[in-house]
Amino acid sequence: MSSAPKIHLKDVRKAFGDKQVLNGIDLDVAPAESVVIIGGSGTGKSVLLKCILGILNADSGVVDVDGTDVTHIPASTRGEVNKKFGMLFQGAALFDSLPVWENVAFGLMQGERMPRKQAKERAIETLAKVGLAASVGDLSPSELSGGMQKRVGLARAIAGNPEIIFFDEPTTGLDPIMADVINDLIIACVRDKGITALSITHDMHSARKIGDRIGMIYEGRLIWVGDAKTVDRSGNEYVDQFVNGRAEGPIKMQLRR
Amino acid sequence: MNFLALIGRVVLGFLGHIGRLTIFAGTALSHCVRPPLYPRLIGRQMIDIGYYSLPVVGLTAIFSGMVLALQSYTGFARFSAESAIANVVVLSITRELGPVLAGLMVAGRIGASMAAEIGTMRVTEQIDALSTLSTNPFKYLVVPRILAGLFMLPLLVLVADIIGVFGGYLVSVYKLGFNPGVYINSTADFVQPLDVISGLVKAAVFGFLISLMGCYNGYYSKGGAQGVGAATTNAVVSASILILITNYLLTELFFST
């Protein structure tokens, strides 16, 4: 990798009680690169993102952002670091007590103390970027469909012009057409603007489309990382099983019979 | 041995709970005195706790005052001490029934809604979203509720005191045939500033406890709807028990000689 990594993870571990969820994750994400982490449900993908964001504290290991160790920084400085990040949550996580435009402008008003009028204008502009009309801004999140909520979540993630965006299952629960719309929006909003992106998904179509590189997480470790174009010929039987969606293979689902 | 292990687990769990609650309360209080604060949110919570609780607290107070007058009359008439009714009503309302009943009613109304709202935000990742938008969840969610509880409960109790005494007046004058002027004079002559002030101090403590338990239980709720339901129940039950315990301790503090 030629340039210094935007995100550098070294031997990141996290356990909940007896369950070791992350078991030594090593990963570098270069500036403007889009890395997609794939893996089954409950393999620690979301935990990994939360450890980078400081929502969860890693038990050990190092999380560097722009060359600065942010693994155990105090809450007072975490807010400053998190200004570099945007995140699209799996369920969009929109604040249902606020109208759509306030959701989009939330980071601008609370984090950057932007006046409401100016923030609303920015929110409407950002909504337009994700293909939503200005009138949507005055609706409540509960009045939106799942796809529209994801788009609002994406607008909220990009409104503060972050340097890094995390996508947590961006296409889960959407129909194939809406999922592709979201993929295109992610590419338009992230790749074309040179933003660094780290996504987690188990939607292989989405992974191939939005990722420059793909990594697979299994039992708390990244067992394979490679170019997105090579994921179908990775030579790794775990990756092959996952990519092809086969029940038979080295990955055993724990089913009670 | 298993029985001892069970006792040990329960005790450790309880102590862990106390420790977590203490840290939560300390963190919340420390954020109460450090900027930034959110005046708009504090105002909204004050209206929610103060203004919208008025009907339920007023109704409780007026009927408590009325039944107090009626019960006191039936009891005191046995030894011709009916003239003490005004004194009994004002003392009971200002020192005990005003703050305790208002506290319990607000615990049911507000404590439950706080736990449900924050709990839902927790399980739908809205609290995580706050962190990613450089907003401290304690400052945004907990501090406004704690401050509003702390300041609005005394105001509510002041209104409840007046309405409660008025309830006693209504029964005494219109049902039991007391002279209105004598009743009012007797009330005004007998009540001491400490009676009212002690009730207001109790109210402030109860307001803090209601908000604290509502926020704490919501903040640490787990799972889905069931977790939020459990958090709501715990918030109301724990706040109610704490109100009754601290009521005794504060009464001891104020009035034991």
Side-chain angles (χ1 to χ4, degrees), chain A residues 150-169:
Chain A
K150 286 269 170 141
R151 282 197 267 173
V152 174
L154 179 58
R156 185 174 69 181
I158 62 172
N161 294 323
E163 297 169 31
I164 304 161
I165 301 190
F166 291 164
F167 298 100
D168 185 355
E169 309 277 8

Side-chain angles (χ1 to χ4, degrees), chain A residues 50 55 79 82 94 110 116, chain B residues 38 40 125-126 128 131 134:
Chain A
K50 287 179 181 176
I55 294 170
N82 280 0
L94 301 178
Q110 306 300 343
R116 281 175 74 81
Chain B
Y38 295 96
R40 184 189 285 261
E125 296 188 305
Q126 290 180 51
D128 292 343
S131 301
S134 304

Side-chain angles (χ1 to χ4, degrees), chain B residues 7 11-12 26 28 33 47-48 64 76 95 125 130 140 145 162 167 172 192 228:
Chain B
I7 293 174
V11 170
L12 285 176
V33 292
I47 290 171
D48 222 24
S64 302
F76 287 1
R95 283 186 178 192
E125 296 188 305
L130 280 175
Y140 190 79
R145 286 166 172 81
I162 295 165
S172 303
Q192 297 292 314
V228 176

Side-chain angles (χ1 to χ4, degrees), chain A residues 50 53 55 79 82-83 85 87 89-91 93-98 106-107 110-111 113 116 156 168, chain B residues 34 36-38 40-41 44 117 120-122 124-136 140:
Chain A
K50 287 179 181 176
L53 284 166
I55 294 170
N82 280 0
K83 281 182 182 168
F85 291 97
M87 176 148 177
F89 286 84
Q90 185 174 352
L94 301 178
F95 305 125
D96 40 27
S97 59
L98 301 176
F106 192 91
Q110 306 300 343
R113 300 270 154 192
R116 281 175 74 81
R156 185 174 69 181
D168 185 355
Chain B
R34 278 185 292 158
L37 295 174
Y38 295 96
R40 184 189 285 261
L41 294 177
R44 194 184 299 163
E117 189 178 352
T120 306
M121 289 184 77
R122 165 62 71 200
T124 56
E125 296 188 305
Q126 290 180 51
I127 293 181
D128 292 343
L130 280 175
S131 301
T132 67
L133 293 163
S134 304
T135 303
N136 188 315
Y140 190 79

Side-chain angles (χ1 to χ4, degrees), chain B residues 5-29:
Chain B
L6 182 73
I7 293 174
R9 209 168 17 246
V10 170
V11 170
L12 285 176
F14 178 73
L15 290 177
H17 219 56
I18 299 284
R20 230 180 2 255
L21 177 62
T22 308
I23 292 169
F24 186 90
T27 311
L29 285 172

